[in-house]
Amino acid sequence: MRRPEQTASRIDHDPNWWRNEVVYQVYIRSFADADGDGVGDLDGIRSRLGYLELLGVGALWITPFYRSPMADHGYDVADPRDVDPLFGDLEAFDRLVAEAHALGIRVIIDVVPNHTSTQHEWFRAAIMGGPGSPARERYLFRDGRGPDGSLPPNNWPSIFGGPAWTRVPDGQWYLHLFAPEQADLNWTNPEVWADFDRTLRFWLDRAVDGFRIDVAHGMAKPAGLPDFDFGEPPPPGSLPDADPRFDHDAVHDVHRMVRKVLDEYPGRIACGETWVKDNESFAKYVRPDELHQAFNFRLAAAPFDAASVQEAIEHSLRAVASVGAPPTWALSNHDVPRQVTRYGGHAVGERRARAMALVELALPGAVFLYNGEELGLPEAILPPEARQDPMWTRSGHTVSRDGCRVPVPWQGDAPPYGFSPAGTAITWLPMPPGWARYTVEAQLEDPRSMLSLYRSALELRRTHPAFGGTELEWYGAPAGCFAFRRKGAGLICALNTSGDPVPLPPGELLLASCPLEDGALPTDGAAWLVAGG
Ligand code: NOJ
């Protein structure tokens, strides 16, 4: 095998690559396990790069692989500048980036600036240092309320359920908007800024192409950490639009800092995880001196209904129009239930997921695919004792994200379906029996499979001139349907969520999510056309 340093990069120098890219999210624990411990790893990803090339994606986003006690499966980072041995080491990371680049695939990594693990050396120092120590100033420690300080400093609940404060042995409390093992950093402390700057440069110098920024709307806390009227307690696991703890102005200073660093590295980008209430707030994150792009979750939140999907698309386009940033689209990720299940499950959910894949991939902007969606994986039903998401315990066993995190099936008839080397008995989440039909092997040569649909759609999106332009125009369409056209370039996308087949707009058919019925688009179908000459 060629050594990484001898492998020539095929990454082009287009500074705007990210504006229309299709990015494939690798949830590292669940993509491919090279060392046989039942958990995915960096060498596993590298061993499957050929598949990603065949699929036709232009970039990867890899979820956190840093040193971590894994209380939130890596989003609790103990050392942001090293690889956890569970996933490999820095050499494995370098090999992966070099080989991805040799195939022309870019690599985006996930950074977690809002909080650290309580196993981070800073947090340990904060515990040792005691109240009032400089080490405590890197986090949000406060005295408690009540005569003996035994009540939390304010009334904030954690996003994962339970209180957002935990008391330490000397009596003070620290803030954690997520799990108790994820202590929120104090972003008014210059050391926190300096350390994040160091982390960004560390990975940029190792040739990453960009960052996905976790909780990008969360670093600036409201002054004084006041009590809030949260109204009805938010259902565990949901991040309500108007959560007053997020989206404070000072967070934009952090993103300006990120952008300044990135501007020193041409072609590198940042995409924020931003849950904010309105278009005006959203647009602020993608101003020219802040992040390049931000996730917009409206499409993933829309039910399978043409009016709702159209509204989500128009909303997302409006959100970025004022600042000239490109929109981003995702139907799923590691935090939300799989779309096949959301759209009704079984055959109906699959038909709808196929249709929505064509809708999404017809849109201008960047598309983020989540590993396994191209195989049509449904949400896996797991026994309670197998569930591992911290949200599961903290929500009183009502919410868990485990069902969308089950390892990807690659080949064969039985677990681990090639996810781990043959003979590996246990994967970190059990893989359901009956998943043989979803494997890459079973789908690759079948022209009717979900995988074949994604491959055809991605190839057309990459190569066909009808996918140019940045604007849409909408056609009049029967109730329960829509059709839009990419202005100037010509691609037409039609969706039918009504109960009857509908005629297609005039044009030459490029691809359909299901066979047409006498030239009409069936219920739960979508089609791509180009206007005839
Ligand atoms: C968002 C991530 O996507 C999620 O998986 C994680 O639990 C939280 N941020 C906390 O880091």
Side-chain angles (χ1 to χ4, degrees), residues 25 27 61 63 72 74-76 110 112 114-115 159-160 178-179 182 212 214-215 273 275 333-335 389-391 401 405:
Q25 181 193 350
Y27 189 69
W61 148 30
T63 55
D72 188 19
Y75 284 96
D76 49 319
D110 215 319
V112 189
N114 182 67
H115 42 264
I159 305 295
F160 286 171
F178 296 89
Q182 293 164 296
R212 178 260 192 194
D214 191 59
V215 199
E273 186 209 18
W275 295 83
N333 62 34
H334 63 293
D335 293 330
D389 184 1
M391 208 179 241
R401 300 167 292 180
R405 297 177 173 182

Side-chain angles (χ1 to χ4, degrees), residues 177-448:
L177 291 180
F178 296 89
E181 296 86 351
Q182 293 164 296
D184 279 57
L185 284 162
N186 171 14
W187 273 89
T188 65
N189 184 324
E191 281 185 78
V192 171
W193 289 67
D195 192 70
F196 190 46
D197 177 286
R198 207 177 138 206
T199 298
L200 295 174
R201 292 176 194 279
F202 178 87
W203 295 106
L204 289 165
D205 291 337
R206 295 194 104 91
V208 301
D209 299 285
F211 301 103
R212 178 260 192 194
I213 301 190
D214 191 59
V215 199
H217 55 319
M219 282 83 86
K221 303 294 187 280
L225 309 181
D227 279 348
F228 285 115
D229 177 5
F230 291 98
E232 283 298 297
S238 73
L239 204 51
D241 282 345
D243 190 319
R245 298 169 296 177
F246 291 91
D247 194 27
H248 288 274
D249 266 355
V251 85
H252 295 291
D253 297 335
V254 179
H255 298 315
R256 282 189 201 101
M257 175 275 251
V258 171
R259 184 57 178 256
K260 277 209 176 99
V261 173
L262 288 168
D263 283 347
E264 293 178 34
Y265 293 80
R268 321 294 181 89
I269 62 112
C271 178
E273 186 209 18
T274 44
W275 295 83
V276 295
K277 60 180 174 302
D278 55 36
N279 282 351
E280 228 171 276
S281 313
F282 186 88
K284 288 185 182 167
Y285 289 82
V286 286
R287 287 179 287 200
D289 62 344
E290 296 197 32
L291 304 178
H292 296 75
Q293 52 194 16
F295 284 110
N296 196 319
F297 298 104
R298 303 246 162 206
L299 196 62
F304 186 77
D305 152 66
S308 308
V309 175
Q310 179 169 347
E311 160 57 22
I313 294 172
E314 290 186 309
H315 189 286
S316 305
L317 291 172
R318 277 197 305 272
V320 287
S322 63
V323 282
T328 63
W329 311 101
L331 290 173
S332 55
N333 62 34
H334 63 293
D335 293 330
V336 300
R338 293 266 186 199
Q339 59 262 48
V340 165
T341 305
R342 287 201 322 263
Y343 299 145
H346 311 287
V348 82
E350 277 178 29
R351 275 205 309 277
R352 293 173 175 178
R354 291 172 68 92
M356 285 302 293
L358 290 202
V359 169
E360 180 182 45
L361 289 166
L363 293 166
V367 176
F368 290 80
L369 305 179
Y370 174 48
N371 61 202
E373 77 166 81
E374 80 280 17
L375 304 176
L377 294 186
E379 194 72 357
I381 299 164
L382 296 167
E385 65 280 6
R387 294 186 181 263
Q388 305 215 11
D389 184 1
M391 208 179 241
W392 176 243
T393 19
R394 291 186 65 79
S395 68
H397 298 171
T398 56
V399 182
S400 111
R401 300 167 292 180
D402 293 302
C404 66
R405 297 177 173 182
V406 168
V408 167
W410 292 92
Q411 68 211 37
D413 293 328
Y417 301 106
F419 165 73
S420 294
T424 307
I426 297 174
T427 52
W428 77 280
L429 286 173
M431 299 180 73
W435 267 24
R437 62 175 285 241
Y438 295 116
T439 63
V440 172
E441 178 183 57
Q443 297 197 37
L444 204 54
E445 301 298 329
D446 175 358
R448 294 155 311 162

Side-chain angles (χ1 to χ4, degrees), residues 458-496:
L458 288 168
E459 187 179 351
L460 282 168
R461 186 181 159 99
R462 221 174 35 246
T463 56
H464 200 290
F467 288 79
T470 57
E471 285 177 53
L472 301 185
E473 54 195 359
W474 297 88
Y475 288 64
C481 303
F482 69 54
F484 62 76
R485 183 165 181 270
R486 283 181 67 159
K487 250 190 194 166
L491 177 79
I492 300 161
C493 176
L495 173 72
N496 180 5

